Amino acid sequence: MGRVFEAEHTGIGKRVAIKILHASFANMKDAVERFRTEARVTTRIANAHIVDVTDSGTTPDGRLYFAMEYLDGIELGSLMTEGAMSLERALRIGRQIAEALAAAHGHGVIHRDLK
């Protein structure tokens, strides 16, 4: 639904991630509402394995965005292309995913796009 960019909050000098609704969804009422809901619900979940949303708004061209904590790391998909990982690492990653999903489900959220 959107693209995520690394940015800096110039007021406090902190790295953040900005998710901007893709232009092709900007005029789709249901997509806009899902995007807004994602920002609201994500900030309420408060789980170590789910990013914290800190702000939201509209770009000058009218697209919605929200700002999140910036997490420095490797995407799971990239990690999986590096070859076999140890069972211990796979279990640790799987446990973190399960904890995040349980927290989201506890708030009535069914996640559509795991990363």
Side-chain angles (χ1 to χ4, degrees):
M1 286 188 63
R3 293 193 61 196
V4 179
F5 300 91
E6 179 182 350
E8 180 180 338
H9 185 299
T10 57
I12 59 175
K14 182 178 181 178
R15 281 189 348 183
V16 296
I18 305 291
K19 184 172 185 177
I20 302 175
L21 182 64
H22 195 279
S24 63
F25 294 111
N27 294 319
M28 297 173 67
K29 188 176 181 178
D30 61 326
V32 168
E33 188 54 37
R34 268 199 320 268
F35 195 82
R36 282 190 176 120
T37 299
E38 179 181 350
R40 281 192 304 268
V41 171
T42 301
T43 198
R44 285 196 308 249
I45 295 174
N47 179 276
H49 305 298
I50 298 175
V51 296
D52 186 31
V53 173
T54 57
D55 198 5
S56 65
T58 306
T59 64
D61 66 355
R63 290 188 292 157
L64 298 175
Y65 72 87
F66 56 84
M68 307 170 278
E69 66 179 310
Y70 178 84
L71 299 178
D72 194 17
I74 301 169
E75 290 185 9
L76 181 58
S78 297
L79 186 65
M80 293 171 65
T81 64
E82 295 177 2
M85 69 175 73
S86 70
L87 176 60
E88 293 80 16
R89 188 172 191 190
L91 288 172
R92 188 173 57 249
I93 292 169
R95 188 175 305 111
Q96 291 172 0
I97 293 169
E99 288 174 9
L101 286 172
H105 292 171
H107 283 82
V109 174
I110 304 300
H111 203 292
R112 300 175 183 175
D113 185 22
L114 294 177
K115 293 183 185 61

